[in-house]
């Protein structure tokens, strides 16, 4: 995780200092600050506890997205029973989830329903598909300029469901080094896609909650999203 409670404040590990002990804002368990030259994060002491279904260990890819976000809008715990932790509370209270591993479709629907009730806005899923891009997922041009039809077999049902529901938007990370995401939706039982610059995504959903140095897509924001910083 990037944010923990340290001295009664939400802090990044590098602000608290290497080796400092804090509390996970979600579970209340002790965490330790790990501060290296490249990665800075908090880790549970004694190993990660059992988390609710659908939550996953975080990779450098996850952290690259969260690195751009200010402390108040990153890893936000929500619900009267602290049911969920949103990766990013984006612009205009839009919930953004950053997902890499496979998740049960029931957990997807539960999280989507929960966050829609919290914000009354379409939830954003950013999902890493680099593992099977150009292996099982192919694009064919359509008559609509800039739009493609996806040829995806076998498809992952939980991702298809995200693209289908009117309560969500699905963006796919097909190549982290690329400066674009793939926005996907379902029409008449077919998946369609178009490329969206990461800068456009940032300005629409993240800019107002970004750390000061990254506002306006400045300060090397693209390099961070591309895993180059």
């Amino acid at each position: 995780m990037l944010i923990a409670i340290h001295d009664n404040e939400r802090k990044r590990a590098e602000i608290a200092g290497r080796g400092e002990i804090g509390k996970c804002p979600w579970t209340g368990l002790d965490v330790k600050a790990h501060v290296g030259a490249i990665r800075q994060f908090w880790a549970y002491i004694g190993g990660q506890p059992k988390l609710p279904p659908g939550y996953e260990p975080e990779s450098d890819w996850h952290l690259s997205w969260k690195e751009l976000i200010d402390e108040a809008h990153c890893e936000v715990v929500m619900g009267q029973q602290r049911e969920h932790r949103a990766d990013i509370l984006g612009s205009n209270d839009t919930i953004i989830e950053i997902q890499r591993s496979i998740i049960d479709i029931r957990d997807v629907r539960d999280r989507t329903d929960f966050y829609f009730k919290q914000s009354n806005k379409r939830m954003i899923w950013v999902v890493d598909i680099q593992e099977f891009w150009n292996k099982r997922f192919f694009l064919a041009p359509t008559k609509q300029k800039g739009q493609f039809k996806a040829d995806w077999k076998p498809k992952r049902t939980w991702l298809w469901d995200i693209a289908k529901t009117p309560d969500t938007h699905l963006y796919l990370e097909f190549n982290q080094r690329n400066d674009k995401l793939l926005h996907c939706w379902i029409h008449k039982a077919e998946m369609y896609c178009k490329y969206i610059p990461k800068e456009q995504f940032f300005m629409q959903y993240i800019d107002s909650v970004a750390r000061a140095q990254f506002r306006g897509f400045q300060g090397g924001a693209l390099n961070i999203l591309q895993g180059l910083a």
Side-chain angles (χ1 to χ4, degrees), residues 32-201:
K32 184 176 181 179
H34 293 255
V35 182
I38 298 176
R39 293 188 64 194
Q40 301 83 38
F41 59 94
W42 296 90
Y44 289 105
I45 296 175
Q48 183 165 290
K50 184 176 180 180
L51 298 176
Y55 289 90
E56 59 187 334
E58 295 199 324
S59 64
D60 289 344
W61 176 74
H62 288 90
L63 296 176
S64 69
W65 281 91
K66 293 183 180 183
E67 177 65 23
L68 304 176
I69 311 303
D70 70 29
E71 284 77 2
H73 295 85
C74 183
E75 300 176 346
V76 180
V77 179
M78 292 187 168
Q80 293 183 347
Q81 305 300 320
R82 304 172 66 83
E83 296 96 323
H84 291 285
R85 184 187 68 186
D87 287 323
I88 299 170
L89 178 56
S91 301
N92 300 314
D93 295 329
T94 299
I95 308 298
I96 304 173
E97 286 288 89
I98 311 298
Q99 187 73 26
R100 186 171 219 173
S101 61
I102 295 173
I103 177 173
D104 190 284
I105 193 170
R106 293 165 295 183
D107 298 323
V108 170
R109 291 172 178 173
D110 172 70
R111 214 182 298 183
T112 297
D113 289 343
F114 175 86
Y115 285 134
F116 186 79
K117 291 175 183 177
Q118 294 285 317
S119 66
N120 199 33
K121 292 182 173 64
R122 293 180 78 162
M123 180 183 171
I124 308 298
W125 288 83
V126 179
V127 180
D128 183 357
I129 67 162
Q130 295 178 89
E131 171 193 351
F132 56 84
W133 174 252
N134 282 339
K135 296 178 182 177
R136 294 191 287 112
F137 194 106
F138 303 94
L139 299 180
T142 68
K143 294 181 179 179
Q144 296 292 324
K145 184 178 180 180
Q147 291 188 11
F148 301 85
K149 183 178 177 181
D151 179 13
W152 185 15
K153 296 177 183 179
K155 65 186 180 186
R156 288 188 174 173
T157 306
W158 66 280
L159 277 175
W160 192 273
D161 197 66
I162 292 172
K164 183 175 65 175
T165 174
D167 294 339
T168 58
H169 283 300
L170 174 63
Y171 291 86
L172 301 179
E173 178 81 274
F174 60 92
N175 180 350
Q176 187 178 6
R177 294 293 191 265
N178 200 286
D179 66 350
K180 296 179 179 63
L181 299 170
L182 199 62
H183 183 202
C184 301
W185 65 94
I186 307 298
H187 178 66
K188 294 183 178 180
E190 299 284 356
M191 176 176 278
Y192 293 88
C193 312
K194 62 180 178 180
Y195 292 104
I196 300 294
K198 289 178 178 176
E199 180 177 3
Q200 179 180 328
F201 182 95

